[in-house]
Amino acid sequence: MWTADLLESHVSYPMLTLFRPQHPGQSWVTALGVVTDAATLTSACGEGAQSREPYFPYRRGRRAIVEISSLLHVPEVAVGQTWLVEENFEAAWRMLAETGLPLRDKAEAWADLQDLRSTYGDQLERLIDFLVAPRGFWGHSAEETVAVEVAVAASEARRKARGG
């Protein structure tokens, strides 16, 4: 429901896309990426999931990413390195297996994951860059990233305050 509400509000009032969060390391587009990627992973890996609940947030998330990117005229620039690598998939697969969720054939799930994410992945990455939003999924947490950024900024501020 949140993804549908986000799509409606941000397409109806595009200025909302530019609002910054009150807390560092947080962003609506980061949250949209997390929700959509989680739904995509579950749709690709879960037995029968492509016709049930996980598939719906994947479709809504993909639509939100595509429509909002189009509305904002996000430039079609080359996307750098993707998080969608086999090592990350292996880690996610292990976590899903530990939940006891009935899983599909691993090779088929990997191929489907790549297929599904190709429908929105590059646009999501460009939208995150366009909005200067934090990356908080697949490989590192936003909290860790912010903690490092705050530590570096604090160190720099102390250095400048000492006159150096």
Side-chain angles (χ1 to χ4, degrees), residues 12-72:
S12 298
Y13 303 101
M15 75 289 281
L16 291 176
T17 63
L18 303 175
F19 278 47
R20 307 304 294 171
Q22 293 181 353
H23 304 287
Q26 296 180 358
S27 172
W28 67 267
V29 72
T30 302
L32 177 60
V34 169
V35 168
T36 307
D37 282 342
T40 304
L41 176 69
T42 307
S43 292
C45 298
E47 189 67 49
Q50 283 197 351
S51 62
R52 293 198 316 249
E53 288 80 10
Y55 193 67
F56 304 133
Y58 154 74
R59 286 182 25 215
R60 282 191 299 261
R62 179 192 68 209
R63 182 172 172 210
I65 291 163
V66 170
E67 287 193 27
I68 292 168
S69 294
S70 175
L71 184 69
L72 294 176

Side-chain angles (χ1 to χ4, degrees), residues 70-81:
S70 175
L71 184 69
L72 294 176
H73 304 287
V74 174
E76 294 270 337
V77 296
V79 175
Q81 187 176 9

